[in-house]
Amino acid sequence: KNEVEQSPQNLTAQEGEFITINCSYSVGISALHWLQQHPGGGIVSLFMLSSGKKKHGRLIATINIQEKHSSLHITASHPRDSAVYICAVGTDKLIFGTGTRLQVFP
Amino acid sequence: GAVVSQHPSWVICKSGTSVKIECRSLDFQATTMFWYRQFPKQSLMLMATSNEGSKATYEQGVEKDKFLINHASLTLSTLTVTSAHPEDSSFYICSARDPGGGVSYEQYFGPGTRLTVT
């Protein structure tokens, strides 16, 4: 069993739909990162969480430390949100999930 | 937010040559930088931790003589792939930690460098 598991692995949606990507981890952590990787590979750091909830634009990230679970929500999804979303946990040495590939169709 | 750049963004080289990839923190000083490697359709894997002014710490299975890391200043770390082989073709990503950012474990990622060895 991987230390960081994401679900679903693949996700397709119609433009405008509300999207949820989940991340569960089995190790103790100080922080959890949500990253976005576009085709071509560039990585953008979306959020770093140690507790509670953060919001940036249409993106919302939550974390439940007791349950070792985090969710990334995208409201009013758009085709430009199509990317791979990666959850990573740890302090210095991050452990990465395998990513969720999201495709949003117009 | 803090910005990390990488150069080049992509590079093609012949087998046996060496390639240097630069990772720069543009608006903060990074005492620690991290180098990751990503194979196609796989997740990132930490290769090494680069500390300014000291030797890098390599993860198990990473050849330190093949992947030379130099962190000579607080804003620059370099990864040199020596005697590159086609199996070294990969996407290399760096990240940098901003110790002055108030959260000691926040990392900022570079855009990555795609290396193709022919």
Side-chain angles (χ1 to χ4, degrees):
Chain A
K1 184 172 167 63
N2 293 332
E3 293 172 298
V4 181
E5 300 232 347
Q6 288 184 235
S7 63
Q9 289 187 322
N10 295 283
L11 184 57
T12 58
Q14 288 294 125
E15 183 173 357
E17 286 186 12
F18 181 84
I19 288 163
T20 296
I21 299 170
N22 296 299
C23 175
S24 296
Y25 53 93
S26 58
V27 296
I29 68 169
S30 297
L32 181 145
H33 300 251
W34 279 105
L35 311 171
Q36 180 191 55
Q37 185 171 32
H38 279 281
I43 287 185
V44 175
S45 183
L46 299 175
F47 295 103
M48 190 197 69
L49 293 165
S50 54
S51 65
K53 175 180 174 179
K54 285 190 176 181
K55 184 176 189 293
H56 186 256
R58 294 180 295 106
L59 302 178
I60 303 166
T62 63
I63 188 168
N64 185 317
I65 296 291
Q66 287 73 29
E67 294 187 5
K68 295 188 174 182
H69 181 269
S70 175
S71 293
L72 176 68
H73 305 286
I74 305 175
T75 61
S77 60
H78 191 275
R80 64 174 175 267
D81 297 327
S82 298
V84 175
Y85 292 84
I86 302 169
C87 167
V89 303
T91 50
D92 279 350
K93 294 187 178 183
L94 295 181
I95 305 171
F96 294 84
T98 52
T100 294
R101 186 173 300 275
L102 170 66
Q103 287 184 292
V104 182
F105 295 98
Chain B
V3 179
V4 175
S5 71
Q6 280 185 242
H7 178 80
S9 54
W10 59 270
V11 57
I12 301 172
C13 71
K14 292 186 183 297
S15 286
T17 61
S18 295
V19 175
K20 181 185 284 188
I21 302 170
E22 294 185 347
C23 176
R24 292 183 186 271
S25 56
L26 298 186
D27 49 2
F28 66 99
Q29 293 184 328
T31 53
T32 303
M33 291 183 173
F34 304 90
W35 286 97
Y36 300 91
R37 183 173 183 176
Q38 185 180 37
F39 289 105
K41 299 192 185 300
Q42 294 188 27
S43 194
L44 285 75
M45 291 186 62
L46 179 65
M47 297 176 67
T49 302
S50 168
N51 295 297
E52 187 269 336
S54 64
K55 291 183 179 180
T57 304
Y58 291 82
E59 294 300 298
Q60 191 173 12
V62 178
E63 298 176 61
K64 61 182 179 182
D65 294 330
K66 180 165 188 65
F67 298 101
L68 299 179
I69 292 172
N70 186 306
H71 194 155
S73 79
L74 286 171
T75 59
L76 173 65
S77 175
T78 60
L79 168 68
T80 301
V81 183
T82 62
S83 187
H85 287 150
E87 56 264 32
D88 298 325
S89 299
S90 190
F91 192 61
Y92 293 88
I93 303 161
C94 74
S95 71
R97 192 173 67 186
D98 179 4
V103 179
S104 62
Y105 34 80
E106 181 142 23
Q107 290 187 34
Y108 301 94
F109 287 82
T113 296
R114 187 163 302 283
L115 170 63
T116 302
V117 184
T118 61

